[in-house]
Amino acid sequence: MVIDCNTMFGFWQRDCRDTSLAQLLRLMDRHGIDAALTCSSTGVWGDFVKGNAETLQVCLENPRLLPVLTVRPLHYLDCREQIATAGERGFRMVRFFPHEQGWSPRDLCFRRLIEPLVEAGLPVFWSYLDEADPLRPIPTLVDCLRGSHLPLIFGSVSYALGEFLSACELHPHCYTDTAQLFLLNELEIIRDGVGIKHMLFGSHAPFDDPAAPLEVIRHARLTEGERAAVLGGNAAELLGLEVATPSATGHGARSPGHVATQEQSIPRHCSAGPLIDVHAHYGPWPGLPNPYITLDDILATCDRFDIQFCILSSTVAIGYDVRAGNREVREIIEGQERLRGYVVIHPGYPELALQELREYLHLSNFAGAKLHPKHCGFLADSREARPLMEYLASVGKPLLAHTWFREMCDAMARLADALPDLTLILGHMGGDDWTYALELAADRPNMLLELCSGLAPVGKIERAAAMVGADRLLFGSDLTILDPGYTLGIVLGSEISESEKRDILYNNAKRLFGL
């Protein structure tokens, strides 16, 4: 049984993709999702009273969908009334969209709704944390609701994981969904910290691909009972749902409070096969409560995902000490057949950086160089970086650069034009600006795109393969930050050919690095 607690449908003001009801239902069918809590986007951007009525009607016509109420606190009018009558009208959850609507839980317009929310008793879904300050909503909401039994569901807690775990201790009725649980072994960290019951399956469909969280869950080191709880058991218990058997037509009829299940919980659209991970790290990431950062942890992850080769850079070198970090990577990959290294460079120390390149790149187990502009403060085409890039081109080694913002992508494009013999790998494929990165790379054959991020938009892989070709896409995990399953899921779940998937996951990197 798979119950998705995080879906919507309808026109979305800031997204031009297909986010229709038909697309949501198609994704549910494709990924074996038995039921989904959902709401109309009309209630987010327009008239929430009208949107809630639309949600009820759609759920009445589609038995697999369970209605979610939403209100707009700044509107003031009708909010209390909508919440007070939500349960008797059949709604299963209340969802808020503060980021999209421009308000926060500290505002009085929201605080006046706390009493009717507690009286209604429906779970409250807080739709994505504030991008500018992901920690801020959690303590405010927990302080407001401590002492009550109101279930509180937070979306996208990964970069506020420590705060979420603390929230579960202070308000035991806190949950998170899996749509963006992308940190390495995050499900195990939450289970070991506060218990498996605090996780609900969510995908953020039809905006994001359910394949990403499903692949993370598939590979997580959980018991089958724990896996079943995350996929649907926890949600069924929280919502008081009864599981019905499938009908001859596939999904079965559902009376209120019943969910029909399919036989197969997590379909896989092709076999994963062996992987080559071109974007990984060794070392700690301060601020993230992740203990899985040792060499043994990396090797265990490689075993679990069948990663035949993993190319690492040092978090110490990226964060504060290039020389010590590069030396550390050299030591840990020595004698490890599956591991290769990147030399981290800091253009602000040009002589040291050139010395590091010369010292390490003649070794057979070092594959190229790594530049992180956000940490070192220098773009790939900066004046200070130019001698380093020319050296890389002269020895035929690629550069992997962190590219999360447009200015980083632009710098790589200018460098690609200036040094056409230098192979450039855009780490994270531009991040939020991945479509912009595709446009830049389309006519620059020496620019390759590495896929890892905490983003799983539907159609990302298909569009990349169409615009630049699957032969210029590379699989990376972002170990030891991200879980390999997240990026693996969006590749395996994409609607491209199996041979193209094998190129992305293995063949392209094997050819590029001569592995």
Side-chain angles (χ1 to χ4, degrees):
M1 174 178 62
V2 182
I3 300 174
D4 192 334
C5 73
N6 181 356
T7 77
M8 290 170 280
F9 64 90
F11 176 77
W12 197 253
Q13 183 70 16
R14 301 174 187 175
D15 198 311
C16 299
R17 293 172 297 156
D18 181 5
T19 54
S20 65
L21 173 63
Q23 173 73 335
L24 171 60
L25 294 172
R26 188 184 77 86
L27 290 170
M28 290 176 65
D29 287 340
R30 178 170 170 77
H31 296 287
I33 297 170
D34 299 296
L37 289 120
T38 197
C39 68
S40 166
S41 62
T42 301
V44 182
W45 297 109
D47 183 338
F48 60 82
V49 175
K50 179 180 178 181
N52 290 333
E54 182 180 347
T55 296
L56 284 174
Q57 184 60 36
V58 163
C59 293
L60 182 64
E61 297 170 356
N62 295 272
R64 289 181 290 162
L65 302 181
L66 304 170
V68 174
L69 180 108
T70 189
V71 297
R72 193 179 192 125
L74 282 171
H75 185 72
Y76 186 83
L77 302 175
D78 298 319
C79 293
R80 282 177 167 169
E81 294 77 4
Q82 286 285 302
I83 293 170
T85 61
E88 64 190 58
R89 289 184 288 153
F91 286 100
R92 293 286 177 172
M93 188 166 73
V94 180
R95 183 164 183 170
F96 290 99
F97 296 86
H99 178 68
E100 290 82 358
Q101 296 171 351
W103 56 273
S104 88
R106 297 173 303 180
D107 295 339
L108 297 178
C109 63
F110 172 75
R111 288 176 177 267
R112 67 186 284 270
L113 303 179
I114 291 173
E115 184 177 343
L117 284 169
V118 171
E119 289 178 356
L122 296 177
V124 172
F125 193 110
W126 196 261
S127 186
Y128 293 93
L129 304 185
D130 191 322
E131 294 177 357
D133 184 359
L135 303 182
R136 186 169 61 190
I138 295 179
T140 302
L141 289 166
V142 169
D143 286 345
C144 288
L145 295 171
R146 280 182 73 181
S148 76
H149 293 85
L150 188 68
L152 184 57
I153 306 167
F154 292 106
S156 190
V157 301
S158 288
Y159 287 130
L161 180 57
E163 196 77 348
F164 170 72
L165 294 173
S166 301
C168 292
E169 294 178 359
L170 296 171
H171 182 65
H173 309 286
C174 286
Y175 302 82
T176 186
D177 83 301
T178 61
Q180 285 194 314
L181 286 188
F182 47 64
L183 297 182
L184 176 63
N185 300 331
E186 190 167 9
L187 276 70
E188 294 99 301
I189 294 171
I190 295 174
R191 176 200 61 192
D192 296 343
V194 294
I196 200 74
K197 68 178 183 179
H198 293 278
M199 287 180 284
L200 310 172
F201 176 73
S203 71
H204 197 228
F207 302 90
D208 291 341
D209 195 333
L214 285 172
E215 198 68 24
V216 170
I217 295 168
R218 183 197 305 277
H219 284 278
R221 291 171 293 191
L222 306 176
T223 67
E224 287 308 306
E226 291 170 336
R227 208 178 319 275
V230 174
L231 287 170
N234 290 341
E237 182 178 352
L238 177 64
L239 300 169
L241 300 175
E242 298 179 22
V243 178
T245 56
S247 73
T249 58
H251 299 296
R254 174 180 60 80
S255 58
H258 288 73
V259 172
T261 62
Q262 303 178 55
E263 292 184 4
Q264 186 175 354
S265 292
I266 311 180
R268 173 169 267 170
H269 303 291
C270 77
S271 61
L275 311 176
I276 296 178
D277 184 351
V278 307
H279 187 167
H281 306 93
Y282 173 75
W285 290 98
L288 296 177
N290 190 344
Y292 301 103
I293 58 175
T294 68
L295 173 61
D296 287 343
D297 292 322
I298 291 171
L299 295 176
T301 302
C302 290
D303 288 340
R304 188 154 43 106
F305 286 91
D306 194 13
I307 297 173
Q308 290 195 353
F309 296 98
C310 181
I311 311 177
L312 307 160
S313 62
S314 164
T315 64
V316 171
I318 291 170
Y320 55 93
D321 191 333
V322 169
R323 183 178 293 168
N326 286 336
R327 183 171 61 247
E328 190 175 50
V329 163
R330 177 177 181 171
E331 292 170 356
I332 69 109
I333 68 174
E334 185 68 31
Q336 299 290 340
E337 291 294 324
R338 288 180 290 181
L339 302 184
R340 301 291 187 272
Y342 287 115
V343 187
V344 175
I345 54 176
H346 191 316
Y349 302 91
E351 293 181 2
L352 172 62
L354 191 57
Q355 179 183 338
E356 294 284 290
L357 289 174
R358 287 172 173 162
E359 179 178 351
Y360 291 106
L361 288 186
H362 78 280
L363 301 174
S364 61
N365 58 355
F366 272 80
K370 171 69 180 286
L371 176 70
H372 202 302
K374 180 180 177 181
H375 283 277
C376 72
F378 291 87
L379 294 171
D381 72 328
S382 64
R383 175 180 56 83
E384 295 83 356
R386 186 59 177 266
L388 309 177
M389 303 306 160
E390 290 175 345
Y391 180 81
L392 285 173
S394 72
V395 297
K397 296 289 188 177
L399 172 75
L400 168 65
H402 176 94
T403 58
W404 197 268
F405 303 104
R406 285 198 175 206
E407 64 174 3
M408 298 178 189
C409 297
D410 286 333
M412 293 287 272
R414 292 190 296 266
L415 183 60
D417 293 338
L419 296 175
D421 293 331
L422 176 60
T423 298
L424 301 173
I425 305 171
L426 277 69
H428 309 297
M429 202 167 90
D432 291 322
D433 290 312
W434 62 272
T435 56
Y436 183 67
L438 291 178
E439 293 171 2
L440 293 177
D443 297 322
R444 294 177 171 89
N446 57 329
M447 290 176 69
L448 308 181
L449 298 158
E450 182 274 319
L451 302 173
C452 72
S453 79
L455 307 173
V458 171
K460 179 178 181 178
I461 302 301
E462 293 87 338
R463 187 166 179 178
M467 288 186 66
V468 304
D471 60 333
R472 289 167 58 198
L473 305 178
L474 298 167
F475 171 77
S477 70
D478 210 16
L479 284 171
T480 49
I481 303 178
L482 304 187
D483 193 293
Y486 204 78
T487 301
L488 178 60
I490 67 169
V491 176
L492 294 180
S494 66
E495 299 182 60
I496 60 176
S497 70
E498 187 157 355
S499 64
E500 289 175 311
K501 294 176 184 179
R502 293 306 313 146
D503 285 344
I504 295 169
L505 296 172
Y506 188 85
N507 297 332
N508 297 339
K510 180 178 175 64
R511 180 175 62 252
L512 173 64
F513 292 103
L515 298 171

